[in-house]
Amino acid sequence: MCERLSQPAAILAELVALDSVNPDLVPGGAGESAVADHCARWLAARGFEVHRLEERPGRPSLVAVAHGTGGGRTLMLNGHFDTVGLAGYDGDPLLPRVADGRMYGRGTFDMKGGIAAMMVAAARAVAAGPLRGDVVLACVADEEHGSSGTEEVLASFTADAAIVTEPSHLQLTLAHKGFAWFDVEILGRAAHGSRPDLGVDAIAKAGHFLVALEEWGRRLAEGPAHPLLGTGTVHASVIEGGEEASTYPARCRITLERRTVPGETVEGVTGELTLVLDELVSRVPGFRYQLTRGVHREPFEADPGADVVRVLRRHAEHALGRPPLIRAEPFWTDCALLDRAGIPCVLFGVDGEGAHAATEYVDLASLDRLTEILTATVGEFCS
């Protein structure tokens, strides 16, 4: 790279060059150790008290604290180190490339750009101080899979408010969906293919469930909608069944995902699914099932009147020359964990494209703008 880079962009280039693929997503992935080591050195050199949390070996998160003079509010900036895999990326995913005001590379957008911005913003705000409140940087592992990093941080640290710097195109993100995963196993009876009198075809029975699942999705789409997120959704994700052509299948397993909006709970969703299945039991001869609930995460909705939202909105409007757009995200983020821990939070991050895609980039002007907005927000909130 021959272009002269701003401080956030230079740090981002260093972070992109460090492989931090989540090994829970890609077996053998590098994990977060190298990028955590790099950030720890940078933050410690600027006076931050750095805590390394590593309940899972090789999967460290950092909490870097700049203590205030006392009597002020604590603000946490949260972002994740880990990235999705490198296979299939167009070009070298670990070689940051700058062209036309963009930086390309795995993690530039999702979300090492946010990490770089919050590191520089916190350092600048502390240097410009004094601040009465503490500034806490939570640079976490494993957001792309199980969010064990933020959960580990929240077991030991808290704050009066938080900003998650996931990419949001410099738009104020006040809500996102949750999700719940289920395994539905349709039960048949194995028998030789020549003996329909003995066999029960679990795959054929599963067809009734798939039709009912599609109808459930239609009812959701026509039901009450959240003003920013719309309605919840449901879809079949994986189907497995049968052993060989000459045998009636005894089992057919369908994994499904139900995306939820604020106001919906995993208990309520489980009840909806059970009603769908029990209705099939009542009308489809021989229909039997087993239901297993898997991973679930709550939806998130910020209080638009919370102090952190108001302060961030004001500084974003000043930097952008207009009020920031208000948006919601269909995907899940660590905001929900912070909110559940009683920490008012909001999501605000860079512009760009290509999360999890073959080409990924961050708009460098937005990276600098984000750093400016976060610096001012930290300065006011913690003063």
Side-chain angles (χ1 to χ4, degrees), residues 5 14 37 139 190 224 226 238 281 288 312 315 326 345 361 380:
L5 299 178
E14 295 169 356
D37 290 345
C139 305
H226 184 273
V238 179
V281 170
R288 297 183 301 133
L312 179 61
H315 289 294
I326 305 299
C345 62
Y361 71 85
E380 179 177 343

Side-chain angles (χ1 to χ4, degrees), residues 271-328:
E272 292 174 12
L273 177 54
T274 301
L275 285 175
V276 169
L277 289 162
D278 287 347
E279 192 273 335
L280 292 172
V281 170
S282 70
R283 70 175 175 83
V284 177
F287 188 92
R288 297 183 301 133
Y289 72 91
Q290 290 178 351
L291 175 61
T292 304
R293 190 169 78 191
V295 175
H296 67 275
R297 296 293 189 185
E298 300 93 342
F300 160 73
E301 185 167 31
D303 175 4
D307 280 352
V308 66
V309 176
R310 293 190 296 103
V311 173
L312 179 61
R313 179 185 289 167
R314 182 166 60 252
H315 289 294
E317 181 172 355
H318 176 77
L320 299 173
R322 54 168 175 76
L325 295 176
I326 305 299
R327 65 178 288 168

